[in-house]
Amino acid sequence: MQRKLHIGGKARCPGWEVLNVLPGPAVDHVGDAIDLGRFADGTFSEVYASHVLEHFDYNGPLLKALKEWHRVLVPGGVLRLSVPDLDVLAHLLLQRHRFDLNQRFQIMRMMFGGHVDAHDVHLVGLNAEFLGGYLQAAGFEAVQRVPRHGLFADTSDLEVAGTPISLNMNATRPLTVGAAMPAPAEPALA
């Protein structure tokens, strides 16, 4: 049976193991998503994370987390990601004619985190170009934007006034790694 990991999940779903930084009734593994050392290389056929990656600093930890998620995937395994789409949120925030101050404040919270606990702080804003660069730097291939994942009832499908605010992407761990292939570098974003 193939194992699947839901990073940041809070609800039980058949066939998925849940890893969360906070314990809960549906959490199988309590721990930080940047350190999956409890799992061997190639443990999971799929890894899913919705609105998790933006909690890692873009100056090191974000790429480290993606490399770790890459490591625990089997060759050919799929990473399914969702993050707040900075491009969409910035566009919504600027629509003063459409949203009042309180509504725009709530949109700002989607950018920077709700700050409801110590873990609910966003340390990076991502759009398709930024996230694609990080995924490639972590060693993923076949990086593609998808309209939705449809796996869980979560923030990946969140909408503001009928506008989806999540960037949903899939990426694959290559089937083989060439012997002469250099280690992935930091994305050329700075």
Side-chain angles (χ1 to χ4, degrees):
M1 183 173 157
Q2 295 183 342
R3 293 174 70 183
K4 299 176 186 179
L5 183 64
H6 183 177
I7 297 174
K10 295 179 183 174
R12 188 153 311 283
C13 184
W16 289 85
E17 297 173 42
V18 175
L19 175 117
N20 199 308
V21 70
L22 299 172
V27 175
D28 301 298
H29 311 281
V30 176
D32 193 326
I34 203 167
D35 178 12
L36 302 182
R38 71 185 74 204
F39 304 117
D41 294 1
T43 298
F44 300 101
S45 62
E46 290 184 52
V47 171
Y48 176 82
S50 177
H51 290 233
V52 172
L53 203 55
E54 66 275 11
H55 298 272
F56 295 108
D57 190 328
Y58 64 88
N59 193 14
L62 187 150
L63 184 59
K64 185 177 178 183
L66 285 173
K67 287 180 178 181
E68 186 71 347
W69 300 358
H70 180 277
R71 181 189 66 77
V72 300
L73 278 167
V74 298
V78 177
L79 173 63
R80 301 180 193 288
L81 277 177
S82 179
V83 297
D85 189 327
L86 185 60
D87 289 350
V88 170
L89 291 171
H91 177 74
L92 290 171
L93 185 68
L94 294 174
Q95 295 186 28
R96 288 177 172 82
H97 64 283
R98 186 173 176 199
F99 300 109
D100 65 26
L101 179 63
N102 184 54
Q103 291 168 317
R104 286 184 290 118
F105 186 83
Q106 296 309 316
I107 292 167
M108 181 278 299
R109 289 182 72 223
M110 292 177 200
M111 293 174 161
F112 295 99
H115 297 243
V116 297
D117 62 45
H119 304 286
D120 192 19
V121 177
H122 297 177
L123 299 176
V124 65
L126 296 165
N127 63 16
E129 295 165 309
F130 298 162
L131 182 54
Y134 277 103
L135 287 165
Q136 289 177 341
F140 287 97
E141 64 181 16
V143 175
Q144 64 178 343
R145 186 175 192 153
V146 295
R148 63 186 311 262
H149 295 295
L151 296 171
F152 303 97
D154 61 16
T155 49
S156 67
D157 289 328
L158 187 62
E159 293 185 359
V160 170
T163 300
I165 62 93
S166 293
L167 168 61
N168 299 313
M169 295 187 86
N170 291 342
T172 304
R173 179 178 173 178
L175 288 172
T176 59
V177 177
M181 186 175 163
E186 291 283 335
L189 299 174

